Every structure is written in structure tokens, then in C-alpha cells.
Amino acid sequence: MAIAYPTTKDYDSTVAEGLWIADFYTSVCGPCKLIDRIVNEIVLENPDVNWAKCNLENDWDMMERYQVQGTPTLIFYLDGEEKARMIGGFHSREEIEDVISRIMYGE
Amino acid sequence: MYTRLHSMPDWRQALAGLGLEGAPDNADIDAAVLRELSRGRVSFAAADGPVEAGFRVTLRTESALPKFNREKTAVTVGGGLYSREIESALIGMRAGESGSAVVKGEAVSFTVTRVERRVYPELTDELARAQGIPGVETLAQYRAYMASKLRGEFAGGVSARLIALLIAGAEMDEPDERDIRAVIDREYEPLRERFAHSGEDIDAISDEQWRKNFYRPELKASYELIYPDIAPFMDTTSKADYYEKRRPAAIETIRECLILNAVLGRDADPTSDRDALKALRAALDEEICGLIFEKGAEN
């Protein structure tokens, strides 16, 4: 498990290997805090799941480049390839785990 | 306040009767320190012993389900991302052993080909400092911080149970209507100030505007975690509706303040101070924390 804080400069290399959840958020976004709590629990229990925390306030260019239309947005990557995307803060832990499980192990 | 408390159970006896199972001990504190400081730094190494929760296991699986019909799959046991049934069956197995489980009604047979345990980094002052917690420069300070955090959380839970017990056993007036109204008024003040700050008068807005501004009932539960001052407005359709819906909470505030004042020997008044209950709760948490943990404080 790794936790990274990428910007546009190192984003692609960060998510290039393994399973990554890129978490796009802002500090003033309430629902982002809900998602943050859930993802934190998942990555603590599953060392194969990596977490790229992308604070848009630090680099607004990421929003356009990765087509983020709102916060929070989670983009799931396996070896650099986008596999899934979840938008909004009201997803359960089970929903997020289902997405990860499908990416890691298939249907 | 017009409402009066007449009697309540002896709070120290009530506390003694609550039982303190689950109070964080040194092992819990050490585990929390290890978990937090090693976040993002855990690796794996071959294990000789049987599989435990948290280990990584490599499997060969056979099943009619494609997901479980693979030559090689690496699974972190206990996380639940692969299959709770198979992960549970893996506990206690060793490399070379075979087992089976039923997943979604289909049989899955598997052979453990490799077992790896977690390897945690050496905990150092540098790791503790890197957490960015004010006043924490060393591992010992981080442990003290974690001990305080866990104990505070536990004491908060005990306080809540104690208050519920004391309210249930107390004799007090039915909360006076003047007190109820005043408590809701105090809670409402920040919103009035917020509107006034942008040149608006919240008391003059129509019910339609109120609904447009605040009515988001589907989001209320989530906002209670993040914006507790806004959440109470999110299932209300007008100011009158707001005052009606806040009555039960105001009644509880009055009852709780009367009890807490008696326990702590204070005279806080929620009808004139909207933070009265918050301050009383914090004081009780501190008192309870001291009583529970004073013997084994820092070791």
C-alpha cells in the first residue's frame, strides 16, 4: 500500500503500477470527507490498494485533464489503465469494495 | 431556566455499574500506533506459520465461477475484497494445503501455494514527526497522543451511556415551554447572523425560499457528520416547521444540561448559552476519562 499526493506532473507515473484509487477532493467539500473516511479504512486493511489523494486546490489543471466533473470523484486504475469511476460522496464502503474486487479479481 | 431537577440516581454508583469492557489498554494503544505509523509502509515476507488475518496468500483455485477458476491469485486475507467465505476458510492453513468453500452457491476448491506475513517498518521519531500533529516530535509523544485519543473516545461513549441512565432515573419537571423556545432560539441565532451578514433577513423569507435554501432531507444524515450546525435545517420546509422539528432535541438538551449541572456542580444555562451542553459534555468526558484511566495512565 502506498499513499501519494500527486499533481499533473507525476500523476500518470504514480498510478502506473498496481491498483490505485485516485481521490479528487477539495478541503471545503463535505461529502469528500465521508469518502475519505471510507477509503482510509479500505487501504488500511488492504495493502494492495494504493491511494492517490488529489487536492484540486493545489492543482486545478487536474480537473480538466482527468475530466473530473465534481468532487469527490474516485478513479480506479489497474496498472495505469482507468477501470472505473465513482462520482459523489454518498457511496457505501461495500459499493467501493465491490468495484475494487471486480477490478482485482474479475466478476 | 424554569425547568427544575428534583432528584437523580447517584452518578458514581451508576458509573460503577456500567462496566468498562473494551476500555483501550496498552496493547490497543500499541496496535493503533503501529497501524497509523506504518500506513503506506507495509510490505510482505514469506511466512512459515499458518495463515492469519492480514496475511497475503497466493492460491490456485478451481470452480465453475470464472473469478475462482485461476492458476494464481494473490489475496489479502480478512479485507473481504476477494471472498469473505474463502478468506475465512484460509485462516489457519499453511502452504501446500487445500480447502474448499461455497460462494454464491457454487463450490470453490483451492490450494495455498504461498503464505506471506506483513512486515511493518521500524517505528521511529521521524515517522511520528511526519504525522504533522502539533506538539508531537517523538514516538513517545505520538504514543501519548494516541493513548489520549483512544481513551477520550472511550470515555465519550461511557459518558453518553451514563447520561442516558441518569436521565431515565431522574425526577424532573417536564421541560418548560419558555425554556424549549429559548433553546431553539439560541440554536437558530447563527443562521440569522449568517443571513444578516449578507444583508438578508431570514425571518422575512417565504416558506418557498426557506424550502429552496434548506430542504435536502436525503443529505441530512451525511451532513450531521460534517456540518452539524446546518444539518438540523435540512429536513424542514419553513421556520415554523423548523421550530416544531427541533422540539425533541431542545427537550433533550434541557434534560441533559440539568443532569450534567448536577453531576459537575455547575450552573450552565442552554437557554442563554448555545454552547452550554457542548461544554458540559466535554467536562464530563474529562472527568470520566480521569476516573477510568487515572490508575494506569501512562506506561
Side-chain angles (χ1 to χ4, degrees), chain A residues 1-3 28-31 33-34 37 40 44-49 90 93 97 100-101 104-107, chain B residues 35-36 39-42 44 56 67 70 73-76 78-79 81-82 84 118 219 222 225-227:
Chain A
M1 165 186 58
I3 298 178
V28 294
C29 158
K33 295 180 176 66
L34 294 174
R37 190 178 299 184
N40 185 40
L44 271 176
E45 289 181 22
N46 296 280
D48 292 324
V49 179
F90 304 103
R93 176 171 173 164
E97 284 181 338
I100 298 169
S101 182
M104 289 177 81
Y105 303 114
E107 296 289 343
Chain B
R35 185 182 67 236
E36 291 300 323
R39 182 200 301 263
R41 297 176 176 87
V42 175
F44 288 91
R56 179 186 282 164
K67 175 179 175 180
R70 305 263 175 89
T73 304
V75 176
T76 300
L81 291 181
Y82 181 59
R84 295 203 184 275
R118 290 189 188 209
L219 301 182
S222 302
L225 289 172
I226 309 156
Y227 302 122

Side-chain angles (χ1 to χ4, degrees), chain B residues 71-91:
Chain B
E71 192 58 33
K72 186 179 176 184
T73 304
V75 176
T76 300
V77 175
L81 291 181
Y82 181 59
S83 155
R84 295 203 184 275
E85 295 88 346
I86 296 174
E87 289 173 42
S88 173
L90 283 167
I91 299 287

Side-chain angles (χ1 to χ4, degrees), chain B residues 74-230:
Chain B
V75 176
T76 300
V77 175
L81 291 181
Y82 181 59
S83 155
R84 295 203 184 275
E85 295 88 346
I86 296 174
E87 289 173 42
S88 173
L90 283 167
I91 299 287
M93 294 180 71
R94 294 169 185 270
E97 293 182 344
S98 297
S100 63
V102 176
V103 182
K104 294 177 183 169
E106 294 284 349
V108 179
S109 58
F110 53 85
T111 300
V112 176
T113 57
R114 184 177 169 82
V115 178
E116 295 168 287
R117 61 182 170 79
R118 290 189 188 209
V119 178
Y120 294 96
E122 184 190 352
L123 302 186
T124 61
D125 289 346
E126 193 181 353
L127 273 182
R129 200 177 304 121
Q131 304 304 305
I133 297 159
V136 172
E137 295 290 325
T138 66
L139 193 54
Q141 287 169 338
Y142 184 79
R143 193 182 183 285
Y145 156 81
M146 185 57 74
S148 170
K149 182 169 178 274
L150 294 181
R151 287 167 177 165
E153 287 169 359
F154 181 78
V158 172
S159 299
R161 285 193 290 151
L162 177 65
I163 292 166
L165 204 63
L166 295 177
I167 288 177
E171 281 186 34
M172 64 176 92
D173 297 339
E174 280 301 309
D176 191 284
E177 284 301 322
R178 290 165 291 184
D179 289 339
I180 295 170
R181 179 80 192 183
V183 168
I184 303 175
D185 281 344
R186 296 292 81 76
E187 184 187 76
Y188 183 74
E189 270 169 8
L191 192 69
R192 183 184 284 120
E193 288 163 10
R194 193 178 293 188
F195 269 66
H197 192 67
S198 52
E200 293 180 87
D201 178 5
I202 189 171
D203 296 318
I205 68 173
S206 67
D207 289 354
E208 190 185 342
Q209 285 172 309
W210 180 288
R211 178 184 271 270
K212 196 175 165 190
N213 275 325
F214 304 123
Y215 191 64
R216 303 280 188 283
E218 73 280 6
L219 301 182
K220 186 183 176 193
S222 302
Y223 273 66
E224 273 167 356
L225 289 172
I226 309 156
Y227 302 122
D229 55 332
I230 295 174

Side-chain angles (χ1 to χ4, degrees), chain A residues 6-63:
Chain A
T7 63
T8 45
K9 287 178 187 167
D10 55 354
Y11 182 93
D12 292 339
S13 60
T14 298
V15 301
E17 197 175 321
L19 190 138
W20 282 84
I21 303 175
D23 175 7
F24 293 87
Y25 69 100
T26 65
S27 63
V28 294
C29 158
C32 296
K33 295 180 176 66
L34 294 174
I35 285 293
D36 183 272
R37 190 178 299 184
I38 294 172
V39 175
N40 185 40
E41 288 173 4
I42 293 173
V43 299
L44 271 176
E45 289 181 22
N46 296 280
D48 292 324
V49 179
N50 304 294
W51 191 9
K53 300 186 74 169
C54 307
N55 185 344
L56 293 170
E57 292 153 308
N58 293 341
D59 185 354
W60 289 105
D61 291 345
M62 281 198 288
M63 205 161 175

